[in-house]
Structures are given as C-alpha cells and as structure tokens.
Amino acid sequence: MEALYAVTVGVLTACSIYLILRGRSFPIVIGITMLSYAVNLFLFSTGRLVLNQLPIIGNQPDYTDPLPQALVLTAIVIGFAMTAYSIILAVRVRGELGTDEVNEPNQNDGEAQR
Amino acid sequence: MNLAILVMLPFIGAILPLLVSTRPRWMITLSAASVTAISLALLLTLAPQSLQGLVPSFHVDWLPALGLSFSFRLDGLSLLFAGLILGIGLLIVIYAHYYLSENDNSGRFFACLLLFMGSMLGIVTADNLILLWLFWELTSISSFLLIGYWFHQSNARRGARMALAITGAGGLALLAGILLIGNIAGSYQLDAVFAAAESIRAHSLYVPALLLVLLGAFTKSAQFPFQFWLPHAMAAPTPVSAYLHSATMVKAGIFLMARLYPVLGGTPEWFTIVTLTGLATMLFGAYFALFKTDLKGLLAFSTISHLGLITMLLGLGSAGALLAALFHILNHATFKAGLFMIAGIVDHETGSRDLRKLSGLRKFMPFTMVLAVITSASMAGIPLFNGFLSKEMLFVESYQQHLFGGLSWLVPVLVTAGAMLSVAYSIRFVHGVFFDKVAENLPKQPHEPPLMMRAPVIILAALCVVVGVIPMFVASNLLQTAVAVVSPNPVEVAISIWHGFNLALLMSVLAIIGGIGIYVYREDLLSFNRQFDHHDAKEVFAKIVKSVTNFCDGLMSRIETGSLQRYIAALLILTVVFVIPELYQINQLTGSREQLPVNAVSLAGALIIILAAIGTAAFHHQRLTSLMMLSVVGLMVSLTFIHFSAPDLALTQLVVEVVSIILMILALFFMPQRIPKASSGSRVARDILLAGFVGGIVGTLNYALLTRPINSISDFFLENSVSGGGGTNVVNVILVDFRGFDTLGEITVLAIAAAGIHKLLNNLRPFMPSSDVDGRPWHRVKHPLLVQTVSQAILPLALMVSFYIFLRGHNLPGGGFIAGLITASAMILQYMANGVDWVKHRFNYNYQTLAAVGVMIALFTGVGSWFFGHNFLTSWFTHVHWPIVGEFEFATAILFDLGVYLTVIGATLMILANFGQMTTRHRPRQEKH
C-alpha cells in the first residue's frame, strides 16, 4: 500500500509540475491546485498510513497521529485561498492585457502593438 | 541620559523644518537654529564634567547578541569634535538662511542638515564600534542628499553619486575592519577594545583590520588616491561645502584614526601607511589648488591638502604630533569654514566664482576683504593667526622624527614645499579676488552682503586671531583632555607663539618667501603644468561605473528573460540537482516499518487518481475537460483521507473541492476556453522529463518516509486533549486550542486573500464571450426552475447540517472550518441557481464585515484569557447542567471556532459572490452591442 501511495503522490506531482511549466495562466492555476493536493497528501502521510484509528478519543486502543491532520486541514483552506487568488489574478491579467500568456512579451513587440 | 538626548535631538528636530516648510523662511531657519542651539547648550552643560576627565556616558543594550549597544561617551576627543559640529553648525544655519534663495526648498535643506548633524554627533560620541559605523553610514547618506540638494543640476547629481559610491564603499571596508577588531577584542565597546589593544596589535589579522579601517578613513577624509570625490562634491550649496566638506564630515576619517590610534597606532605599518598617504595627499592637494580657477575648487584642493597634513601628523604618532593634529583640526575648521563662506558671499554677490573673471573686489566689498585676508593668512600660516601655531608644531615634528632612517630629512623638506604651495594659493585667493584691476562684466553688480550673512565669518575670523594670539588661554584645557584620550604617553600642552630662533622658524620664513615666489612666477608653473596630460578623475570614475553597469546589464538580460517558464524550469532543475546527492546517501529505500497490504478498492482508487491526473495534464488545451479531470482527482484525494483515518480532512477537502471547482468554472467564462498548441515538441519533451524527475524524487522521498518508523510529538496532544482542551476530536482541539495561534494566523491570511481578491476585481473589465467556444449562444433560460426550487429547499437543510457540524466539531469530525465551508457552498448554490440579484434582494449582507468580525471574535477570545491572568488564547471549559437538555459542555474554544466559522463564510462568499457579480453587472451592456 505504501508503494502505491508514494507512486500516486509522485504522479500527481509530476502532472502538476508539467502543468505549471505551461505558458498560459489557466493550466498553471490548475497545476498549482493539483500540486497542493500532492503536497497535502505528502504532509498527511508523515503521520504514516493508518487504517481505522480515528484521532477521536473514545474506546479504541490506539490512535493515528493527529498533528499532520491538523496541519493539512489548515493547508487545504489556505490552498483554496491561494487557488482563488491566482485564478482571479489570471482573470484580471486577461482583462488588462487581453492575453493569458504568462511570458513577458518582447519589448519590441510591445512597442509595435502600441 | 542628557548625552543620548544630545545625539538624538537633531534627528528628532529634523522633522521641525519640514513641518513648518510652508511657513515664512525665517521660521524654518529659526526651527533649525533652535534645535542646534539647544544641542549646543546641552553640550556645554556636559562639557565641565568632560573637561575634568569624568566621561559622561549612556548605555542601553540594543542587540546584545550582535554586540551592538546604544551607548555613548563624551570624552575629550568627542567633546572637541562635538563642539566643532554644533558650534560651526549653528553659524552655518544662520549663514544658509541668507545664502539660499527664495526658490530653494529650505525646509528640506535644514532637515537634511540636522540629519547630518545628528549622524556626525553620533560618530564622535559613539561608545560602540558598530554604532559608530551606523552613524558613519548615515553621514554618507545625508551628505549624498545635501550634495544633490539642487537635484535639477546634473553635476550635483553626479557629484552626489560619486561621493556616495566612494564613501559608501569605504564604509563597507570599515565595517569589515570593525568586525575583525571586535572579533579579536571580544567586544565592540570602546573600553573593551582599548583594553585589548596589545592583543589586537599582536594578532595575525592586525594588518587586514588596519588596512580595512584605514580604507574607510581615507575614503571619508579624501586621502590620496580617493581624493577625487571631494572637488566634485563642491556642486553642493556653499553652506554644505563649508560644513561637511571642510569642517566636519571629511574630518570623520581623521576622527576615526584618532579614536582608534590607541588600538591600531604606533606600529611600523601604521606609521608607514598613514604618514606617507598624508604626505602625498598634502602635496597633491596643495599643488592642484594652485591651478584651480573655481574658488570653491581651490578651497576643495586646499582642504584635501590640509586633511593630508593632519593625517600625516597622526601617522607620525609622537605625543607632540598627536597634539598638533588635534590643534590643526580645530584651526582648519575655523579658517576653512570662514573661507568657504567668503567664497559663497562672493558667488552670491557677484554671480561668479571664476578666478579668471573676479578681481578688484576690494572697492565694493572692503569688509569682506578684511575677513578674507585674516582667514587666508591663517591658512597660509602667518604669525599671530591660529594656522601658524599648528603649522609650526608640524615643522618641529617633521624634523624631530627619525622614522625613515637615512631618508628622514626628506620629510621636513617636503613639508616645507607643501607649506610654500599653501602660502601661494592663499595669496592667490585674496589677491586674485580682491586686488588687481577692477573686474568688469560680472553677472551682478557686487556689493557687501547683509551683516547677518557676514556675522558667522566675523566670528570665525575673530577665533582665528584670538586663538592665534592667546592659544593657551583659549584652547589648552580642551586640547589637554582630548589628547589624553588619543596619546598613549602623557602630554603637556604648551603652545606659544615665540620659540626663539630655531629650525621651525626658518622653515616658516622659507615657506612664506617661497610661497610669494611661487605666486609671482605662477604663470611659468602653469605653463609647466600644461605639458602633462591630466586625466579628469570624473571620467575615469564614470568609465569604471559604466563598464560595471554594462557587465551587469549583460548578465541580467541573459538571466532575466521575462519568461516565467524559464524561471520555474531553472528553479526546478536547481532543486533536482541539489536533492539528488542527498537521496544518494539513503542506503536503503525501504524502511523497517510494517507495510499495509494492497486491496482491490485502494488499487482501483489509486488508478483513478493517476489516470485523472494524467488526463488533467494531457487535456489542458481543452480547459473544461481538464477541469473535470481535476475535480475527479480532488474527490479521490478526499476519499484517500477518509480511508486513512482522517475524517476531518476528508470533509474539508470535499467542500473545498466543490467551492474551488465552481470558482474555476466561473473563471473559465472569462478565459479563452480552447487554445492553439503553443509549445514546441522539444519544450514538451523537456517539461515531461523535468516533471518526471521531480515527481520521481517526491515519490521516492514519500516511500522512504512512509516505510520508516514514526516518532511523533503527538502523544502529548492525545493525552491532554480531553483533560486540557475539553474535546475528544484531537484534530479540532489542536486547531482551536493547542495550536490556536496558528489558526488565528491562518484565518487572517484567508481574510487578507479575500480582501486582495476584492481589490483585484475592482474596476475589472473582463473579456466577455457572447457564445461558447463552438459559436453556440448561451441558453436563454438563465435560471432553470427545477434547480431554483431544489436549491431553495436545500438551503435550510444545509444551514442546519452546518450548524450541527459546527457544534459537534469539538468532539466528533467537524468544526468551524468545515461548517463554514458548508454554509458558504449552500449560499453559492443560491447564487448559481437564482442569480446574484435575486440573492442580493433577499440577503443583502456585507461579507467583508462578516470576515472581519470573524477574525475579531477569534482575536478577542484569545485576548480575553489575559483578563484572567492566563496566556494569549488559553482556553477554559466547564460542564453545565441544563434542565431537559442535560449535561452540556461549554468551552471558550467554541467561541474561537465561531470566529473561524464566520471568517471562512465571509472570505469564501466575498471571493465567489464578488466574482459572480462580474457576469451580471456587465451582461446587459454586452447584449446591447
């Protein structure tokens, strides 16, 4: 199971990196979102993979590590704030510049367009 | 305490001239003058203690870990310099009032001047070497501002830049030197450094430390070969030249050498470097002063020469030489400040500073002429003026030293030559300007300046005479305490005008006769001088600066291409390069922890995630498809959390996933929905390779981590959750109690991000497509009835569920975050199903306020525990027995969680509702077209 989990996280990371390396804003935002999934899964797994040991004090003998869960919970919400901010930034850039390309256009081209 | 006030007063007072800068000019001047006068009065109250050898001091720790403290001392040396800074400063303020024209912004001028004054006081009174350095840099900066005061003139800007570059670079060298010294001495406090003097001089790093400190001192005091910035700094207004570039700032280097003489001085290295540099500077400056046609240029080179003279005396280092150096600092400041002021008066009244145009001004300005004669005579070293006394002492020292062995006789000869040149340019200053035939074609008709403009010069000229005639009465006390600080051997101050017929007198006579001779035959010397090809220092400096900037520009244009893709790729490649060697050191990939078996369900789940992730990347040209794939990944991640015992995470992920996908679909409306293939094949190959590498590394790390045994600090949380936090859901207790401060920070960030988005959407005119990508128009029914009805029915249910989730959060999966997100998504459903206007009509609430109130509640819950004498965010809980309901637990943490809940709702709706409005607000206009 551990190997499967690690492979999944690796593939998620690879796909998100590929998206982040694109030249337009929308794939980059999708890539960032997916990368935050991968990172969250990674951080969560620092508590190791544990089945059926909820971190809720009750009548179980053993509990999983609650600390990574607390950290990842806030990370998910912050990740949402970041996704939202970057997607709105992308929309704003599209509205201002009329393009969604992230590379700075050549200065000469810029002059010519004006 | 008074001492600290004394130093800080000019800094605080620097605000005053700016505050009154729109008022009449006399008020601005008065504000600056009163600050200076109060500081001077403070100094005078402290002076008696200082003169008795009791050193007033002040000490407060600043950054003890760095050895930096805010400590000052007023010993004899500090008193001498502080007196100069404040005394001449006051005269300069008065003079500047008449010098500056109505058009100049005198508020800014006096503010910079006071800033400089404070920095200078800081240097001379600092009791900590790093503090001294801080003030040292502040003088460089304030001097930059003052030289560039007339920033509309290009030579002022260039002169200011050059001065800053040279003195700033020297300042860095000085810092390095100070750090070395402090490191050897073990402290940066002056007393400790003085105590460690022996071991510093014997240390192997002594020579580097000495060179670095001297580099700082020489650049500041314009010593050869760094002298070239000073003449260009003459682009400053004349009061600045008189103050900074003759009386005070350029003496900071001298002060530093005097201050550190007990530590660094007295060695052969010190003697050789400092003496020879001083001698070379003295001759260089005096020679070139002779040929300058600009009055201020002449004075600038003469200043360089005199600074060289003082440096040389410090280099010789005998008790008499140190005394002579300190005495000459005093004398030079009085006559040179006076001369600069006279040059300013001439410039002000005639409109020219050019010696080729000026002559015969005695007819129009007889009074100024007398002042010029007195101060120049002092500069030339004529008996009965103060310059004579210190120059005579220099002569004595020059032939009493035997430090150069058989060549020691060269020193008095060269010193006499320098003195001759000094006499010659002094005569030139007076004779050229005030005598000869009457000048014609001057830009202005010359006349005497107002009395108050002359008054500072009169005071300085009077000092020249008084000190010159009765030196012992005026200055012996001050010099005695000052030299006691510098000189390791006891010195008896005994200055007199007449020493009998001796070699020094002969040298004086020779200097005066020779000087007259040089002046009479100056034309011959001038034509001799013309044979040489003179490089202007400014051009050399400009060339060096240009080549450095060209190099940097070239480098920048290669690195900074403006391509985000290249930046990210470079960053990732670097990461891979750095991580691979580390991974290589892991001997064994699989650790000892027992692994879980794979079952069919999780295998299927993992396959779905992997395929959906690859699909997201592969179909990124078709954006809607890509987004759908992403949502599959998100949902599967949520299932992963629930599978591995994390119900809170699963709930959060689920709701966040819904909200963010809605947001992205909304955004997609404003973005191009399909794009042409932009990347070349090689680019795609490179990216796949890079992404594969990074993914492989992350996967490997994760596997290595997962298979190793765990050693966590979480046992504490598990044990104390119920007893300390009053809740059984440990994740929630950590969030709202143990690590509540983190959560407070996090909801603040969330609110800030929402506010940022709110601003970003302000005045946005997004691109609005009127049809979808295939050219089909949008459906005419915007809000289908079925969705409307269902959504309205769902709202109360969703609210109830969220309230339930919120309440039970402390003990079972749930809590403020999840409940907030559920409420927010129920509201978003209303927006989607019924339209923004519909919701606004029924539920007009300001989400910004909601988010702010949420953060406030959380914050004040934390603050509240202060009132009960506990630390910030300490929680409290109790069990209340309610009738009917039964046992009920109440914890302050639930208040905190309420803050979280409201912030999440506010922030999420702020983002989505604002963004959703975009489509509505512009739609009608879109349709009119």
Side-chain angles (χ1 to χ4, degrees):
Chain A
M1 185 69 96
E2 273 76 2
L4 192 63
Y5 189 93
V7 168
T8 313
V9 171
V11 170
L12 272 182
T13 312
C15 292
S16 59
I17 295 285
Y18 178 78
L19 284 169
I20 288 174
L21 285 169
R22 297 303 91 210
R24 283 163 187 275
S25 54
F26 197 78
I28 293 180
V29 176
I30 290 191
I32 292 175
T33 312
M34 192 147 73
L35 186 63
S36 71
Y37 294 160
V39 171
N40 287 343
L41 282 176
F42 190 109
L43 288 180
F44 166 68
S45 73
T46 56
R48 307 301 185 269
L49 302 182
V50 178
L51 296 174
N52 303 323
Q53 293 177 10
L54 305 188
I56 290 167
I57 308 291
N59 33 18
Q60 316 170 56
D62 218 346
Y63 305 99
T64 183
D65 191 345
L67 192 59
Q69 295 196 17
L71 293 180
V72 171
L73 200 151
T74 57
I76 291 173
V77 180
I78 286 290
F80 165 66
M82 191 177 70
T83 304
Y85 194 84
S86 45
I87 192 80
I88 303 285
L89 197 62
V91 170
R92 175 97 212 187
V93 168
R94 174 94 202 282
E96 297 283 322
L97 304 178
T99 172
D100 64 338
E101 286 201 50
V102 293
N103 294 332
E104 191 178 283
N106 253 336
Q107 282 190 340
N108 294 334
D109 300 351
E111 292 289 326
Q113 278 169 11
R114 274 177 224 134
Chain B
M1 193 61 215
N2 276 352
L3 190 56
I5 295 173
L6 170 67
V7 178
M8 286 299 120
L9 195 62
F11 284 107
I12 300 162
I15 304 163
L16 273 183
L18 292 176
L19 286 181
V20 296
S21 62
T22 49
R23 300 295 179 82
R25 282 189 60 216
W26 65 267
M27 274 183 80
I28 304 172
T29 312
L30 188 66
S31 67
S34 49
V35 170
T36 318
I38 295 170
S39 300
L40 188 60
L42 266 175
L43 182 72
L44 290 179
T45 60
L46 290 169
Q49 288 182 49
S50 191
L51 286 175
Q52 282 164 19
L54 307 163
V55 179
S57 60
F58 175 81
H59 180 94
V60 171
D61 274 340
W62 186 354
L63 287 174
L66 295 181
L68 174 58
S69 69
F70 198 70
S71 54
F72 299 100
R73 61 148 71 201
L74 192 71
D75 56 17
L77 187 65
S78 310
L79 181 67
L80 175 80
F81 273 91
L84 268 183
I85 292 160
L86 289 171
I88 295 190
L90 189 57
L91 298 180
I92 293 286
V93 170
I94 297 166
Y95 177 81
H97 176 71
Y98 294 94
Y99 180 84
L100 293 176
S101 77
E102 292 289 332
N103 302 331
D104 293 320
N105 178 350
S106 62
R108 182 161 60 86
F109 179 84
F110 284 120
C112 291
L113 201 70
L114 286 176
L115 208 62
F116 168 78
M117 197 182 285
S119 321
M120 204 59 212
L121 280 176
I123 291 183
V124 301
T125 55
D127 199 13
N128 179 292
L129 284 177
I130 297 183
L131 187 69
L132 186 152
W133 176 80
L134 271 177
F135 285 116
W136 179 280
E137 294 294 279
L138 276 178
T139 61
S140 293
I141 291 166
S142 48
S143 143
F144 170 80
L145 294 174
L146 283 167
I147 299 172
Y149 175 67
W150 284 319
F151 51 73
H152 51 90
Q153 297 174 0
S154 74
N155 64 341
R157 293 198 301 269
R158 220 174 300 145
R161 268 206 304 272
M162 190 189 282
L164 184 67
I166 300 295
T167 55
L172 288 181
L174 173 64
L175 177 63
I178 283 174
L179 292 178
L180 283 181
I181 292 175
N183 215 6
I184 302 170
S187 165
Y188 296 100
Q189 293 299 114
L190 277 180
D191 283 328
V193 173
F194 287 151
E198 284 294 327
S199 56
I200 290 173
R201 282 195 293 263
H203 201 272
S204 59
L205 285 175
Y206 165 71
V207 176
L210 175 70
L211 287 177
L212 288 167
V213 169
L214 287 182
L215 206 56
F218 287 172
T219 47
K220 198 81 164 179
S221 283
Q223 295 297 300
F224 185 81
F226 306 108
Q227 81 295 337
F228 57 88
W229 68 266
L230 188 58
H232 291 290
M234 292 299 140
T238 302
V240 173
S241 310
Y243 192 36
L244 274 68
H245 304 126
S246 73
T248 54
M249 190 184 89
V250 288
K251 300 245 169 64
I254 308 268
F255 169 81
L256 184 74
M257 286 191 271
R259 177 55 99 200
L260 292 180
Y261 183 84
V263 183
L264 299 174
T267 61
E269 293 91 344
W270 169 281
F271 162 72
T272 314
I273 301 170
V274 180
T275 311
L276 289 182
T277 308
L279 191 60
T281 312
M282 179 176 121
L283 288 170
F284 178 92
Y287 180 74
F288 283 99
L290 208 51
F291 304 114
K292 286 288 145 187
T293 52
D294 176 22
L295 266 187
K296 278 175 79 177
L298 186 155
L299 292 176
F301 275 97
S302 133
T303 304
I304 291 173
S305 166
H306 280 269
L307 291 170
L309 189 160
I310 301 170
T311 305
M312 191 178 94
L313 282 167
L314 287 173
L316 291 174
S318 66
L322 295 176
L323 176 63
L326 294 177
F327 192 32
H328 199 68
I329 288 169
L330 209 59
N331 295 339
H332 177 253
T334 49
F335 67 71
K336 191 53 70 60
L339 282 165
F340 264 110
M341 289 185 189
I342 291 168
I345 290 175
V346 169
D347 186 14
H348 199 253
E349 303 305 331
T350 66
S352 170
R353 299 195 312 234
D354 196 333
L355 272 165
R356 288 166 301 193
K357 287 190 192 154
L358 297 165
S359 66
L361 289 183
R362 71 180 189 285
K363 282 251 165 36
F364 309 107
M365 321 168 91
F367 202 85
T368 310
M369 183 204 76
V370 174
L371 295 174
V373 168
I374 294 172
T375 44
S376 304
S378 182
M379 175 160 76
I382 307 292
L384 294 184
F385 298 102
N386 58 359
F388 169 75
L389 299 169
S390 41
K391 197 161 272 190
E392 193 91 327
M393 289 158 82
L394 164 72
F395 289 152
V396 173
E397 293 303 323
S398 71
Y399 63 76
Q400 279 184 353
Q401 53 75 31
H402 301 286
L403 298 158
F404 287 106
L407 288 176
S408 295
W409 58 269
L410 257 176
V411 177
V413 171
L414 290 175
V415 166
T416 314
M420 284 181 189
L421 291 167
S422 176
V423 171
Y425 66 68
S426 303
I427 298 175
R428 184 156 177 257
F429 185 88
V430 177
H431 188 257
V433 177
F434 293 99
F435 291 89
D436 260 355
K437 60 176 181 8
V438 175
E440 289 160 5
N441 300 330
L442 285 172
K444 283 188 201 166
Q445 178 60 35
H447 55 81
E448 284 283 357
L451 176 66
M452 282 308 284
M453 192 170 180
R454 263 177 298 163
V457 193
I458 296 172
I459 294 172
L460 290 170
L463 271 176
C464 288
V465 179
V466 172
V467 175
V469 177
I470 42 169
M472 286 304 282
F473 181 73
V474 186
S476 68
N477 249 345
L478 185 60
L479 287 172
Q480 184 72 59
T481 45
V483 80
V485 178
V486 182
S487 172
N489 307 314
V491 193
E492 188 54 44
V493 177
I495 307 165
S496 58
I497 304 172
W498 181 249
H499 294 278
F501 292 100
N502 59 6
L503 203 51
L505 188 67
L506 180 67
M507 286 162 81
S508 278
V509 174
L510 274 177
I512 294 169
I513 296 173
I516 297 171
I518 291 172
Y519 183 68
V520 172
Y521 293 102
R522 66 184 182 280
E523 287 306 324
D524 298 327
L525 196 63
L526 200 60
S527 52
F528 167 76
N529 185 50
R530 276 200 204 99
Q531 301 167 24
F532 304 105
D533 180 23
H534 289 296
H535 286 288
D536 191 354
K538 186 164 63 180
E539 280 158 28
V540 178
F541 179 77
K543 213 179 273 176
I544 294 173
V545 170
K546 188 135 184 59
S547 63
V548 171
T549 41
N550 281 348
F551 173 75
C552 292
D553 276 349
L555 205 64
M556 287 298 285
S557 65
R558 226 170 300 158
I559 297 172
E560 197 180 322
T561 52
S563 163
L564 182 67
Q565 287 169 288
R566 280 187 63 171
Y567 298 160
I568 296 178
L571 202 69
L572 290 170
I573 289 169
L574 259 183
T575 316
V576 172
V577 166
F578 278 112
V579 170
I580 283 180
E582 298 296 319
L583 278 183
Y584 197 72
Q585 290 180 10
I586 299 179
N587 304 328
Q588 199 188 353
L589 184 60
T590 312
S592 58
R593 188 181 154 89
E594 199 185 330
Q595 297 196 19
L596 296 173
V598 181
N599 56 26
V601 178
S602 35
L603 186 65
L607 275 178
I608 293 175
I609 294 192
I610 289 171
L611 287 177
I614 293 172
T616 314
F619 294 111
H620 77 270
H621 294 291
Q622 299 163 32
R623 293 179 165 179
L624 193 60
T625 318
S626 178
L627 200 53
M628 291 303 108
M629 299 277 197
L630 181 72
S631 69
V632 172
V633 178
L635 291 174
M636 291 309 294
V637 168
S638 171
L639 289 181
T640 312
F641 286 138
I642 192 93
H643 185 62
F644 295 112
S645 320
D648 283 281
L649 288 191
L651 277 173
T652 317
Q653 172 70 35
L654 191 67
V655 198
V656 162
E657 182 60 28
V658 169
V659 176
S660 44
I661 293 294
I662 291 173
L663 182 69
M664 282 202 261
I665 290 181
L666 203 53
L668 201 54
F669 178 64
F670 302 106
M671 302 292 266
Q673 285 165 42
R674 243 180 250 165
I675 41 156
K677 244 186 155 65
S679 307
S680 64
S682 63
R683 167 63 61 87
V684 170
R686 184 199 75 177
D687 290 350
I688 289 178
L689 202 67
L690 190 54
F693 252 109
V694 177
I697 288 174
V698 171
T700 313
L701 278 177
N702 200 3
Y703 181 71
L705 181 94
L706 281 172
T707 52
R708 276 163 173 71
I710 186 171
N711 184 15
S712 168
I713 58 168
S714 296
D715 289 341
F716 170 82
F717 299 121
L718 290 167
E719 278 161 24
N720 290 293
S721 176
V722 178
S723 57
T728 52
N729 181 0
V730 187
V731 176
N732 185 269
V733 175
I734 291 175
L735 282 176
V736 298
D737 196 331
F738 292 125
R739 310 290 309 167
F741 201 51
D742 292 353
T743 312
L744 179 64
E746 193 228 3
I747 56 172
T748 313
V749 170
L750 188 66
I752 290 172
I757 288 168
H758 186 63
K759 279 319 274 184
L760 271 179
L761 291 173
N762 210 12
N763 288 328
L764 172 66
R765 302 198 169 279
F767 176 81
M768 294 275 188
S770 53
S771 64
D772 83 345
V773 69
D774 294 322
R776 288 173 298 214
W778 303 119
H779 199 276
R780 66 193 155 75
V781 180
K782 273 191 213 157
H783 305 298
L785 185 65
L786 194 62
V787 184
Q788 272 184 327
T789 317
V790 172
S791 74
Q792 286 167 30
I794 281 178
L795 182 65
L797 283 175
L799 287 179
M800 198 182 71
V801 168
S802 84
F803 189 62
Y804 171 65
I805 294 268
F806 172 74
L807 279 183
R808 73 173 211 161
H810 217 45
N811 293 316
L812 291 166
F817 276 115
I818 300 163
L821 285 164
I822 291 174
T823 308
S825 42
M827 287 300 297
I828 290 165
L829 187 62
Q830 303 308 309
Y831 278 104
M832 288 203 307
N834 304 303
V836 174
D837 294 329
W838 187 92
V839 179
K840 244 189 175 169
H841 192 65
R842 286 160 181 79
F843 186 75
N844 195 7
Y845 202 83
N846 188 339
Y847 299 125
Q848 283 95 301
T849 321
L850 195 64
V853 165
V855 177
M856 285 296 178
I857 290 178
L859 183 68
F860 284 118
T861 311
V863 172
S865 48
W866 279 344
F867 294 108
F868 299 97
H870 294 293
N871 286 330
F872 186 65
L873 272 175
T874 308
S875 76
W876 168 87
F877 67 92
T878 186
H879 293 266
V880 189
H881 192 82
W882 277 6
I884 305 170
V885 182
E887 179 112 337
F888 181 81
E889 185 200 324
F890 179 79
T892 54
I894 207 162
L895 267 180
F896 184 81
D897 220 12
L898 181 67
V900 174
Y901 174 71
L902 294 178
T903 311
V904 170
I905 297 175
T908 312
L909 288 180
M910 215 161 129
I911 296 167
L912 273 149
N914 276 321
F915 197 34
Q917 253 173 17
M918 293 273 118
T919 54
T920 324
R921 208 189 308 154
H922 296 277
R923 181 61 70 82
R925 204 150 40 107
Q926 182 79 20
E927 284 171 352
K928 269 182 210 161
H929 280 288

